[in-house]
Amino acid sequence: LHLGGFLLGYFVPRLLGYPEAISRTVSIETGMQNSALGVVLATRNFADPLTALPCAISATCHSVLGSSFAAFWRLGGRKKAAKEPSRG
């Protein structure tokens, strides 16, 4: 589910003509939804504490995916900058 959010958050702005930086930002914001809210709602509305477990797992997944995408794009930007000839 989170991977779909990351992918849609990236490709929809690209199809609409937005620049790369904005597409990356939208991707990370879309993919990293607020799972903490789910934990709070689950623990307040259900007696069994295990009802919050899916939300906690989801929070871990989106944190790992979001950090991975950000690191990948940051390293990719450095490689592009190193390949470009210097101006001056």
Side-chain angles (χ1 to χ4, degrees):
L1 185 59
H2 293 293
L3 183 60
F6 283 113
L7 292 174
L8 283 173
Y10 179 78
F11 287 111
V12 169
R14 293 301 290 164
L15 290 172
L16 295 174
Y18 286 96
E20 181 80 15
I22 290 177
S23 297
R24 291 178 180 184
T25 302
V26 171
S27 173
I28 291 173
E29 290 296 325
T30 305
M32 297 190 61
Q33 297 300 313
N34 194 354
S35 298
L37 177 62
V39 171
V40 171
L41 291 174
T43 55
R44 286 186 177 222
N45 294 305
F46 297 100
D48 187 5
L50 288 178
T51 57
L53 186 60
C55 300
I57 292 171
S58 174
T60 303
C61 290
H62 78 70
S63 294
V64 170
L65 284 171
S67 298
S68 298
F69 277 122
F72 175 77
W73 281 327
R74 183 174 181 146
L75 292 174
R78 287 183 184 171
K79 289 178 184 178
K80 284 182 185 178
K83 289 181 181 179
E84 292 178 3
S86 61
R87 298 178 185 168

